[in-house]
Amino acid sequence: MSDPIHPDIERVLIESDTLQARISEMGAAISNDYAGKRPLFVGVLKGVLFFLADLLRTVTVPLEVDFMAITSYSPETREHGLVRITKDLETSLKDRHVLFIEDMIDTGLTLGYLLKLLSAREPASLEVAVLFDKPSRRLLNIKPRYLGFRLPDLFVVGYGLDYREQYRNLPYIGLLKTAVLQRK
Ligand code: IMP
Ligand code: MG
């Protein structure tokens, strides 16, 4: 079934049914790998909101969840590598099996920084599940254990991903019209 298209969207890249089907597969793999382990899922707000919520509902092992928030990526400034934590975790990571959940790896600088920070807290294990990967822009060599989709080097919105804080609520992944990106 195809989703109704928002007027600012040029083209839908990934329909919601396709997102859900792939996320179920990821959840099954995670459930299998973490059997008997009670993992702690760590999500980075806000982009991960929908992915984390849908993924958690497909995972069958007992789990805990916690969140952190960082300064958001701005497509205008592209200040890569500088990450400021605006909300830290409430759970201690020491001796926990931590699964770090991210919406997107682009250059990998954000994830690289956060992984270094989290591994210093001495988890029993630390793995990464990412919904979208843009491998052509990678600056740091990071290979997530679980990956949803590879994307071309295009700016996308929807399913949690924003442009100027808009479009997170679209149920699909889409490309914005050029006119929207040129608006002041
Ligand atoms: P990195 O440090 O370059 O890997 O940046 C990754 C972060 O940038 C992601 O967590 C997203 O929040 C954001 N980002 C990267 N590409 C896009 C995009 O196409 N649309 C919306 N946000 C994006
Ligand atoms: Mg993000």
Side-chain angles (χ1 to χ4, degrees):
M1 209 181 67
S2 72
D3 300 302
I5 297 195
H6 186 288
D8 292 353
I9 295 295
E10 174 72 41
R11 187 157 65 86
V12 174
L13 276 189
I14 308 175
E15 305 261 6
S16 62
D17 292 3
T18 312
L19 290 170
Q20 297 304 328
R22 181 72 189 117
I23 291 167
S24 294
E25 292 174 357
M26 296 173 82
I30 290 167
S31 303
N32 191 51
D33 294 350
Y34 285 88
K37 283 196 175 137
R38 202 166 55 94
L40 174 67
F41 284 55
V42 170
V44 181
L45 297 171
K46 307 175 219 174
V48 83
L49 189 63
F50 297 94
F51 173 43
L52 185 63
D54 287 338
L55 179 69
L56 289 182
R57 282 179 281 191
T58 69
V59 174
T60 53
V61 295
L63 57 85
E64 291 174 38
V65 64
D66 202 350
F67 294 98
M68 53 198 307
I70 58 175
T71 44
S72 63
Y73 174 103
S74 141
E76 289 94 11
T77 56
R78 296 206 167 211
E79 282 182 72
H80 291 306
L82 277 177
V83 177
R84 193 164 60 85
I85 291 171
T86 54
K87 181 211 174 298
D88 205 342
L89 298 171
E90 288 166 11
T91 318
S92 163
L93 300 191
K94 186 146 174 59
D95 303 326
R96 297 300 306 268
H97 291 287
V98 176
L99 184 55
F100 189 75
I101 315 289
E102 252 282 49
D103 47 359
M104 165 88 74
I105 323 184
D106 187 9
T107 61
L109 293 174
T110 309
L111 190 58
Y113 175 88
L114 292 173
L115 287 179
K116 210 153 71 179
L117 187 104
L118 297 186
S119 59
R121 299 181 186 180
E122 301 176 23
S125 66
L126 178 59
E127 298 287 352
V128 178
V130 171
L131 187 54
F132 303 114
D133 182 15
K134 290 187 192 167
S136 64
R137 286 174 38 87
R138 190 77 88 262
L139 297 175
L140 276 189
N141 182 24
I142 296 176
K143 291 214 166 55
R145 172 89 177 255
Y146 308 95
L147 170 65
F149 299 87
R150 291 215 164 75
L151 293 180
D153 181 16
L154 296 169
F155 190 81
V156 297
V157 294
Y159 200 66
L161 296 171
D162 73 303
Y163 173 65
R164 298 177 174 173
E165 293 301 323
Q166 293 295 298
Y167 312 106
R168 292 190 196 276
N169 58 323
L170 301 180
Y172 49 81
I173 288 293
L175 295 179
L176 283 173
K177 291 181 176 163
T178 317
V180 175
L181 294 165
Q182 286 166 347
R183 259 179 223 157
K184 283 282 174 253

